[in-house]
Amino acid sequence: MRSYLKTTAIALALTTAAGSAQADAHGGVEVLHWWTSGGEAAALNVLKEDLEGQGIGWTDMPVAGGGGEQAMTVLRARVTAGNAPTAVQGLGFDIIDWAKQGSLADLNAVAAAEGWDDVIPAALQQFAKVDGKWVSAPVNVHSTNWVWANKAVLEANGIAEPTSWEEFTAALEKLKAAGVTPIAHGGQAWQDATVFDGVAMSVLGPDGYKAAFIDLDEEVLGGGAMKEAFDRMAVIRDNVDENFSGRDWNLATAMVINGEAGFQMMGDWAKGEFLNAGKVPGQDFLCFRFPGTAEQVTFNADQFMMFDQGGSVSDEQAALATAILSPSFQSAFNVVKGSVPARTDVSDAAFDDCGKKGMADLAAAASSGNLFGSMAHGHANPASVKNAIYDVVTAHFNGEYDSETAVAELVDAVSIAK
Ligand code: GAL
């Protein structure tokens, strides 16, 4: 599967050389991204239309695959071929890596003119500004420690919003007894890791999460609380349907939307799918933090890295960056995407209840020291460490390791990768 995806991705990369030349010839932008689900595409359209309204052409370069692993494979092939796209969706440490390799254009002039230093939160600046140079434009702030629930399914089974692990497992039991799939999940490494973000935070607490995934402290990675986190992952594994393997995240969301499943643990891009299906928060679906993580936020922020096209930042790249950070775009886009603004000065008036909660949670977590980069989405460590953790989490989820073995493997894998 993996090698098939890679081959397809690279074949795609090679056939897009023509697309890029076309973008240049027309003075537009070529944008590489992985926003291909219904909700994601609807959000991306807001940006596309904004630019087209300014007369800037858009060459779309979508590479399907949640979490962006396939998109990053295509990107590497394009850069190696000397044919980098104009703008590329990127996450956390990947952005820093590209900047350190000297591949990204300098956006300091745009950032200064638009006052980015004052309005973009520090947590995002650490991934957008490298060695004093702005290299990418933050689009949003997502977070991973959310649960999405079908309200009617919960009500029909006498389930209130669970606030602890015990209440959550009791709810899973009820759903199972009623013949409903308790948890909609797609067995892909990044999705397993996304679930693990919330589960680990709930067991380890904020200090333990930071020690394990950001500081890579071997004692915490290999400790008793980590074993407990894996035990909880095994409980979750017992509550997914038998066809979970390889399923795309948005198809798992659809199971909750359709009432086939009760819950999904997924970042708030899942909300984009509910909205795209015409569902209303509080009425059709519920959003709440993974039980035991009410105060914490494990964030990932999508950004558009501007690849150096030879010379200084192009007018189109500057226009794209300016459009992305404009307050009106930040509101319009994030309302549709499920994320919250990448600026601190945008009103929550246009956001639904989940969006308002997302904005309030982010601000509260930032000021109480409870805001952490998501391990699953490349905001805790570079890709080598992230992938090492993915491998262990997925092997355990698929029953290859018991919890004790998983903990030992985690310590080993991280120490080799770091
Ligand atoms: C994340 C990205 C989100 C969403 C998700 C699923 O990595 O930050 O914007 O697109 O993948 O594709």
Side-chain angles (χ1 to χ4, degrees):
M1 182 69 175
R2 278 198 159 205
S3 67
Y4 164 75
L5 283 173
K6 277 195 180 138
T7 316
T8 316
I10 290 162
L12 251 174
L14 298 176
T15 55
T16 51
S20 157
Q22 194 186 24
D24 292 344
H26 293 91
V29 287
E30 188 201 11
V31 184
L32 192 158
H33 63 88
W34 62 92
W35 284 336
T36 56
S37 77
E40 290 172 328
L44 190 70
N45 249 338
V46 177
L47 181 58
K48 231 186 257 183
E49 282 168 10
D50 189 314
L51 283 192
E52 282 168 358
Q54 299 182 49
I56 298 172
W58 177 288
T59 302
D60 205 35
M61 179 57 206
V63 182
E69 195 183 345
Q70 287 84 294
M72 291 302 105
T73 304
V74 170
L75 175 61
R76 278 189 294 278
R78 290 282 304 266
V79 174
T80 305
N83 180 28
T86 325
V88 181
Q89 182 184 356
L91 294 174
F93 279 90
D94 289 346
I95 302 171
I96 297 178
D97 283 350
W98 285 111
K100 297 262 184 209
Q101 285 179 40
S103 300
L104 304 185
D106 184 343
L107 294 174
N108 274 358
V110 183
E114 301 287 327
W116 288 3
D117 281 303
D118 300 329
V119 293
I120 296 178
L124 265 50
Q125 288 198 25
Q126 60 172 317
F127 297 111
K129 207 176 169 180
V130 180
D131 299 332
K133 202 166 95 179
W134 283 93
V135 292
S136 67
V139 187
N140 62 13
V141 188
H142 273 301
S143 54
T144 56
N145 58 321
W146 287 103
V147 184
W148 306 89
N150 182 303
K151 193 176 178 215
V153 168
L154 262 52
E155 277 172 9
N157 291 284
I159 297 169
E161 183 182 303
T163 58
S164 64
W165 174 249
E166 291 68 30
E167 285 178 17
F168 187 53
T169 51
L172 300 180
E173 291 303 319
K174 279 190 186 170
L175 292 175
K176 210 182 232 181
V180 176
T181 298
I183 297 175
H185 181 65
Q188 296 174 345
W190 74 271
Q191 293 188 60
D192 301 340
T194 299
V195 172
F196 195 58
D197 259 354
V199 170
M201 178 63 85
S202 74
V203 182
L204 299 167
D207 293 344
Y209 183 93
K210 178 175 179 294
F213 300 123
I214 295 171
D215 303 335
L216 305 179
D217 178 328
E218 289 197 0
E219 266 180 44
V220 183
L221 282 167
M226 192 64 79
K227 180 178 171 295
E228 170 68 18
F230 278 108
D231 284 344
R232 290 187 181 187
M233 290 298 284
V235 173
I236 287 163
R237 168 67 183 84
D238 284 342
N239 283 280
V240 304
D241 71 321
E242 59 182 17
N243 297 319
F244 79 100
S245 240
R247 175 188 287 135
D248 286 333
W249 68 273
N250 52 314
L251 301 182
T253 311
M255 291 169 67
V256 179
I257 294 174
N258 300 335
E260 273 170 67
F263 302 105
Q264 182 186 21
M265 283 124 78
M266 187 43 62
D268 38 14
W269 46 92
K271 194 187 78 176
E273 298 303 301
F274 284 94
L275 299 183
N276 199 45
K279 303 298 179 190
V280 178
Q283 197 174 300
D284 303 309
F285 69 96
L286 305 176
C287 58
F288 54 94
R289 294 289 171 184
F290 185 73
T293 70
E295 320 241 296
Q296 285 79 42
V297 171
T298 44
F299 80 96
N300 58 306
D302 292 300
Q303 306 205 27
F304 278 106
M305 307 181 267
M306 300 298 166
F307 274 74
D308 195 338
Q309 305 290 311
S312 57
V313 62
S314 72
D315 290 350
E316 290 78 14
Q317 286 175 319
L320 176 59
T322 302
I324 286 172
L325 264 312
S326 91
S328 58
F329 170 79
Q330 282 288 320
S331 180
F333 175 88
N334 287 306
V335 157
V336 179
K337 183 69 168 72
S339 38
V340 305
R343 300 175 60 116
T344 49
D345 60 347
V346 176
S347 159
D348 71 358
F351 287 78
D352 60 33
D353 288 350
C354 295
K356 285 188 168 69
K357 176 174 166 51
M359 287 175 75
D361 287 356
L362 178 65
S367 64
S368 64
N370 276 300
L371 178 63
F372 300 98
S374 156
M375 174 278 291
H377 291 264
H379 282 70
N381 270 287
S384 53
V385 173
K386 179 188 82 171
N387 290 332
I389 300 174
Y390 273 19
D391 287 348
V392 177
V393 170
T394 288
H396 173 269
F397 201 77
N398 292 336
E400 284 168 46
Y401 301 149
D402 62 16
S403 298
E404 210 169 311
T405 311
V407 165
E409 293 288 338
L410 189 63
V411 173
D412 278 1
V414 167
S415 88
I416 294 166
K418 76 181 178 191

